[in-house]
Amino acid sequence: VTGASFVVFNGALKTSSGFLAKSSIVEDGLMVQITPETMESLRQALRDKKDFKITCGKTDTGDIKEYVDICWVENEEQTNKG
């Protein structure tokens, strides 16, 4: 679990890159590089206030190493207070 001050979603990842998605820590935030198709799905999920999971890693490996989960919560007191 990573706490971050901000999150940047970059929808310019090419499918030919060999990655489903890539995440990296930049300064005190998180940058998630995703394909344009995933970006459109993310936008729709945000409009609909639905949870969304981004799977990061190479497309050709069976090992999925990490996920970026966007979760809507009912009680804000249980979220990161930093």
Side-chain angles (χ1 to χ4, degrees):
V1 174
T2 301
S5 296
F6 64 91
V7 178
V8 175
F9 294 100
N10 178 342
L13 184 68
K14 303 212 182 307
T15 52
S16 62
S17 70
F19 284 91
L20 297 167
K22 292 167 54 174
S23 65
S24 56
I25 296 174
V26 288
E27 296 183 19
D28 60 341
L30 179 69
M31 181 171 68
V32 185
Q33 297 174 345
I34 56 179
T35 62
E37 295 81 15
T38 304
M39 178 65 88
E40 186 53 41
S41 297
L42 171 60
R43 285 182 179 148
Q44 190 59 51
L46 291 173
R47 281 187 213 109
D48 297 341
K49 295 186 177 180
K50 303 238 179 189
D51 293 350
F52 193 78
K53 179 182 264 190
I54 300 170
T55 304
C56 298
K58 291 198 168 241
T59 53
D60 59 355
T61 61
D63 289 343
I64 304 300
K65 294 165 216 64
E66 59 188 51
Y67 299 95
V68 176
D69 287 319
I70 296 102
C71 303
W72 293 87
V73 295
E74 294 291 327
N75 185 352
E76 292 184 19
E77 293 176 9
Q78 297 177 1
T79 59
N80 183 2
K81 293 186 180 185

